[in-house]
Each structure stands twice: as structure tokens, then as C-alpha cells.
């Protein structure tokens, strides 16, 4: 897809539902008694993979108007699927479902696309096996496909070496089926949507600092869930509004959970003009509208405890840094290497091809901003966030850019290009 530079972006955008929260709503709705009603569900390919997996385990999930209805069968209501479960491109589906399957009376194989089959699953195999789970990597490489023979689990305290909400959530979900209180301590607090939603469904979950604990065998009750807009999707419009001159964008209904809002902190630190409007709470999650205006950005340092709160936004932050004056250092972010692509490689390669002064490091990158960027052929590497970050980069470059495999945005944001184009009219 060709993206041309623009002179200005103006208008209002209502971004789609949060991907992390949409996945969890389907999972917990399936394990609850009664019908869970989800509004503003993200109908991106990743969340549809989660729906598909639970349907294959006997859960009725239907769309009526603008709602998704999940007819839950209780904690022990899943049945073994007749075929392989396919998580597609979704790490969240693969890792969270593994926790549920390991504790359920289920025999199955769980796999996904070529990217999923190279992403590390050792990080969930280790704690799940400590809990006594019968889970193995079919090809013996600690990646999917995974073969799972579920049964009751032992409670553990797991000290996770990585700050990963997928690992934490996997262990907490497995803890639903354990013989005592299960807890997870992570090096830095990662997104806490699982803890909040589990509590909302009636599970006994406590959070103290970087440790979350769960009591087993709760009776989960169906809920009405309104999914807030995804700050990871808002990030593209935040960046676009700041970078493109003469712009003013109102981004409505953005989830601003403090475990997710690092992009706002970084944008403000870079000199961004962002105003939070109408703060409110939606389904237990903080939400607001964001007014973003063109700004002169300068470099910053992105590191430490901030990293888990903006891990998915780093491709967009790197592009902002290339348009900023001065140097931006991104470090402590080695996790970027095990996302849908190695995002240190995919970001720095594409930025360099547009003429940016960028150096990849072991755990991040260094960007000397302020050089004019030129049009290039952008390799999305079939990574939705690379396609979107560089579609935004293209808006202020000299000459047009071609985004290869541009439709990969459907993983998390169907309608992304249309929403962007609406702001140029
Ligand atoms: C997610 C957690 C993060 C994030 C991913 C979604 C989740 O992954 O990058 O897009 O929904 O729990 P990690 O747990 O691997 O950091």
C-alpha cells in the first residue's frame, strides 16, 4: 500500500477495543456461569483466534448487534477439541490458554502460524511444569505446537525472570485449577488486566507490588464488559498528531491503565502537547479522551520500569524519535526480540531505509533524530505494529512509502488505514 505525506491531520478518531482485554473477556466469560456480554470487543484476527479456540472446546460464542455473547459453562465446562487449536498469530491466546488447558480435563494440541511457532514458550512451560502440568513442545524446541493433557495442578509461588503479562496471566489462570494459593512475582509490574478482570468475575486475587496471588476454584459469574479503546492502537494517532504539522486530533475512549500508559509519559517527556479529557472508569479500567496537537519533539531516554508499560508502542516511539531533535536511547527492552518479529531488527532496518540515523543495540536502539526521512519500501515483516508505525512515519517523509503486506494490520486494527485517511479529509 502506498502512503503519501500529508500537510495536516484534523478530526476525531474512536479507536477499537483493547486487544488484551478482549482476549481475557472471552476466556473468563467461557469459564464463568451464565452469559457474558461484551461491548466494543476488538474483532481483530488475534481475538477471533481466541473465540475460535473456545468454540472448539464447546463454548457458544455469538455476535448480536454490537455485542459478543459468551455462554460460559463454568470453570470445568470445557471439553476436549476434536481438532488442533489454532492461535494464529496470537501470543496472548497461546500463552494464556495454555494455563487454562493445563488445569482442565482436556487433551489437545495447540499451535499457531509461522511466527507463533518460533516464539519462546519455555517461559510458560517452566512454571506450568512446576505446577505439575503435562505440557510439552511437540518439536522439542520449546515452541508451539504444544501438546497438553490437562489435570488438576499444584499451587506454586513463581518468580518470573521476565516482566510478561502473558506469563503472569498463564500462571494465574492455571492457579484457578490448583490445590492452594498460586502467586507470581515479576521483576517489574506488567499489565494487570487479568488481575482486574478475574476480580470482576468473582475470583479472589490480591496484588501487592510486583506479586499477584490467586485462590483456586472460584465460582466465576458472567459479567457485562465494556472494553475500553486500546492505547496501543491510540499510539499511532498520538504519534501522527504530534509529528504532522498543523494537526489536532481528538482520540476518544482510550484505556489509560497505569500499567499501559508509558506512551503518554514518553510523548510528554519529548515535548508532546497532549491533554487528557473526561477521565472515567469503564469496567474497572481507567479511560479518557486524548486531545493531541502538533508539537516540536526532542529526544529522551526510554528504559527501566517504563518498558513493560509501553513495550508494544516502541516501534511508534522509535519513529517519533527519528522526527525529534536530539538523541533518543531505548534500552532494557530485549523483549522486543521475541515479539511478532524481532522488533529491534524490524524497526531499525525500516528506519534506516528511510534515511534515519539509527543503531540497533542488544536491548534496544539509539536514534539520532532530526534528519529528513525519505520514501522507502517498508518491509512489515508481517508484523501489524511495524506496518502501522511506518504508515505514520510515511505521513511526514519526503515522497511516498510503500508498506508491504499492509493488510497485516487486521491482526489488531481492522480499519486502521480508513481511520487515518478520515483525518486528512
Ligand atoms: C500482552 C502482553 C505483552 C504484550 C502483548 C499482549 C497481554 O506481551 O506485548 O501484545 O495481553 O498479556 P508479554 O507478556 O510477552 O510482554
Amino acid at each position: 500500500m502506498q502512503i503519501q505525506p500529508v500537510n495536516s491531520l484534523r478530526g476525531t478518531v474512536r479507536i477499537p477495543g483493547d486487544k488484551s482485554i478482549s482476549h481475557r473477556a472471552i476466556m473468563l466469560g467461557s469459564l464463568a456461569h451464565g452469559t457474558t456480554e461484551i461491548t466494543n470487543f476488538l474483532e481483530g484476527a488475534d481475538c477471533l483466534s481466541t473465540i475460535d479456540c473456545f468454540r472448539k472446546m464447546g463454548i457458544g460464542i455469538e455476535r448480536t448487534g454490537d455485542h459478543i455473547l459468551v455462554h460460559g459453562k463454568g470453570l470445568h465446562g470445557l471439553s476436549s477439541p476434536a481438532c488442533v487449536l489454532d492461535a494464529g498469530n496470537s501470543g496472548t491466546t497461546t500463552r494464556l490458554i495454555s494455563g487454562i488447558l493445563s488445569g482442565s480435563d482436556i487433551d489437545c494440541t495447540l499451535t499457531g502460524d509461522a511466527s507463533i511457532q518460533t516464539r519462546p514458550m519455555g517461559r510458560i512451560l517452566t512454571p506450568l511444569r512446576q505446577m505439575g502440568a503435562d505440557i510439552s513442545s511437540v518439536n522439542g524446541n520449546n515452541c508451539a505446537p504444544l501438546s497438553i493433557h490437562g489435570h488438576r495442578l499444584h499451587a506454586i509461588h513463581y518468580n518470573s525472570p521476565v516482566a510478561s503479562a502473558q506469563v503472569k496471566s498463564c500462571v494465574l489462570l492455571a492457579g484457578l485449577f490448583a490445590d492452594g494459593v498460586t502467586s507470581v512475582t515479576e521483576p517489574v509490574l506488567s499489565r494487570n488486566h487479568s488481575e482486574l478482570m478475574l476480580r470482576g468475575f468473582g475470583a479472589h486475587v490480591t496484588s501487592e507490588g510486583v506479586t499477584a496471588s490467586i485462590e483456586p476454584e472460584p465460582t466465576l459469574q458472567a459479567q457485562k464488559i465494556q472494553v475500553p479503546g486500546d492505547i496501543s492502537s491510540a499510539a499511532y494517532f498520538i504519534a501522527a498528531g504530534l509529528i504532522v504539522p498543523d494537526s489536532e486530533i481528538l482520540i476518544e475512549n482510550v484505556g489509560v491503565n497505569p500499567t499501559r500508559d508509558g506512551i503518554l509519559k514518553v510523548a510528554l517527556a519529548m515535548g508532546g502537547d497532549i491533554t487528557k479529557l473526561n477521565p472515567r472508569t469503564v469496567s474497572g479500567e481507567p479511560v479518557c479522551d486524548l486531545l493531541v496537537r502538533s508539537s516540536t519533539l526532542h529526544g529522551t531516554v526510554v528504559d527501566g520500569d517504563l518498558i513493560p508499560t509501553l513495550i508494544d508502542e516502541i516501534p511508534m516511539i522509535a519513529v517519533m524519535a527519528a522526527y525529534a531533535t536530539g538523541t533518543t536511547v531505548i534500552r532494557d527492552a530485549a523483549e522486543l526480540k521475541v515479539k511478532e518479529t524481532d522488533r529491534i531488527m524490524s524497526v531499525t532496518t525500516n528506519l534506516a531505509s528511510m534515511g534515519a540515523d539509527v543503531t540497533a543495540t542488544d536491548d534496544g536502539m539509539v536514534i539520532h533524530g532530526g534528519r529528513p526521512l525519505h520514501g522507502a519500501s517498508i518491509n512489515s515483516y508481517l508484523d501489524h505494529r511495524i506496518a502501522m508505525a511506518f504508515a505514520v512515519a510515511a505521513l511526514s517523509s519526503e515522497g511516498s512509502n510503500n508498506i508491504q503486506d499492509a493488510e497485516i494490520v487486521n491482526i489488531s486494527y481492522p480499519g486502521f488505514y480508513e481511520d487515518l485517511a478520515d483525518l486528512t479529509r
Side-chain angles (χ1 to χ4, degrees):
M1 172 180 288
Q2 289 293 330
I3 309 264
Q4 309 293 341
V6 297
N7 296 324
S8 162
L9 293 171
R10 289 191 168 260
T12 300
V13 59
R14 194 172 177 84
I15 44 156
D18 187 278
K19 182 154 80 74
S20 294
I21 296 174
S22 295
H23 282 298
R24 287 156 172 82
I26 297 293
M27 294 179 191
L28 295 189
S30 299
L31 300 179
H33 291 279
T35 298
T36 287
E37 194 178 299
I38 312 170
T39 43
N40 201 34
F41 178 80
L42 172 64
E43 295 198 44
D46 271 8
C47 299
L48 297 181
S49 295
T50 292
I51 289 185
D52 182 56
C53 289
F54 280 90
R55 279 192 178 138
K56 285 184 176 143
M57 293 188 285
I59 302 298
I61 302 176
E62 51 178 327
R63 191 179 197 287
T64 54
D66 62 350
H67 292 102
I68 299 283
L69 300 179
V70 184
H71 301 291
K73 291 189 171 175
L75 208 53
H76 298 282
L78 301 178
S79 38
S80 287
C83 55
V84 168
L85 295 178
D86 186 354
N89 191 240
S90 175
T92 306
T93 309
T94 310
R95 297 198 178 107
L96 270 60
I97 281 192
S98 293
I100 295 171
L101 299 175
S102 294
S104 301
D105 187 15
I106 292 264
D107 285 330
C108 71
T109 303
L110 172 62
T111 192
D113 68 7
S115 158
I116 275 294
Q117 292 187 38
T118 63
R119 294 183 68 185
M121 294 300 151
R123 55 181 56 197
I124 57 162
L125 297 179
T126 300
L128 288 175
R129 285 182 183 145
Q130 283 177 19
M131 295 178 82
D134 184 351
I135 179 167
S136 57
S137 160
V138 170
N139 298 325
N141 59 355
N142 281 343
C143 296
L146 303 173
S147 168
I148 304 175
H149 304 286
H151 57 70
R152 194 172 166 79
L153 300 171
H154 305 306
I156 58 165
H157 177 115
Y158 187 59
N159 268 310
S160 175
V162 279
S164 158
Q166 293 179 358
V167 171
K168 171 175 62 178
S169 304
C170 169
V171 176
L172 292 176
L173 290 169
L176 291 169
F177 308 92
D179 55 7
V181 174
T182 296
S183 53
V184 188
T185 300
E186 41 185 355
V188 177
L189 186 65
S190 66
R191 66 190 67 191
N192 64 356
H193 305 301
S194 296
E195 296 93 303
L196 294 179
M197 200 185 288
L198 276 161
R199 252 178 240 138
F201 273 82
H204 298 286
V205 177
T206 52
S207 302
E208 268 178 61
V210 290
T211 300
S213 309
I214 188 162
E215 289 179 19
E217 296 294 335
T219 302
L220 303 178
Q221 292 296 350
Q223 298 294 309
K224 279 194 165 57
I225 296 177
Q226 240 182 298
V227 181
D230 197 327
I231 192 167
S232 297
S233 298
Y236 305 107
F237 295 95
I238 295 170
L242 296 177
I243 294 170
V244 175
D246 190 31
S247 296
E248 183 172 298
I249 307 177
L250 178 66
I251 313 171
E252 289 182 338
N253 191 34
V254 184
V256 284
N257 180 315
T259 62
R260 293 285 300 281
D261 70 351
I263 174 72
L264 295 179
K265 295 191 177 108
V266 167
L268 292 173
M270 294 177 85
D273 180 350
I274 302 175
T275 312
K276 278 189 183 179
L277 303 170
N278 306 320
R280 54 204 185 266
T281 301
V282 174
S283 292
E285 294 274 351
V287 170
C288 70
D289 304 324
L290 296 173
L291 184 63
V292 180
R293 297 193 184 93
S294 315
S295 303
T296 305
L297 300 179
H298 51 79
T300 189
V301 176
V302 185
D303 64 358
D305 290 5
L306 208 51
I307 295 295
T309 70
L310 48 66
I311 188 73
D312 292 341
E313 288 66 76
I314 290 178
M316 194 66 267
I317 290 170
V319 168
M320 283 164 57
Y323 281 112
T325 56
T327 299
T328 294
V329 178
I330 300 171
R331 59 187 174 219
D332 304 326
E335 277 292 299
L336 289 173
K337 292 181 186 165
V338 292
K339 295 297 177 187
E340 285 82 333
T341 54
D342 172 348
R343 287 185 179 155
I344 297 180
M345 174 283 293
S346 49
V347 168
T348 56
T349 305
N350 282 313
L351 272 181
S353 74
M354 292 182 76
D357 180 347
V358 56
T359 310
T361 63
D362 261 0
D363 64 350
M365 61 197 80
V366 178
I367 300 149
H368 300 292
R371 274 202 202 172
L373 301 191
H374 54 72
S377 183
I378 301 298
N379 190 341
S380 68
Y381 297 95
L382 290 173
D383 181 334
H384 54 133
R385 300 205 188 279
I386 300 300
M388 289 187 275
F390 282 88
V392 171
L395 299 174
S396 278
S397 71
E398 290 169 2
S400 93
N401 284 264
N402 176 39
I403 314 278
Q404 296 168 30
D405 299 309
E407 68 290 345
I408 193 68
V409 303
N410 291 334
I411 290 290
S412 65
Y413 197 157
F416 169 73
Y417 299 108
E418 292 78 3
D419 284 356
L420 197 55
D422 279 348
L423 297 173
T424 62
R425 284 186 198 119

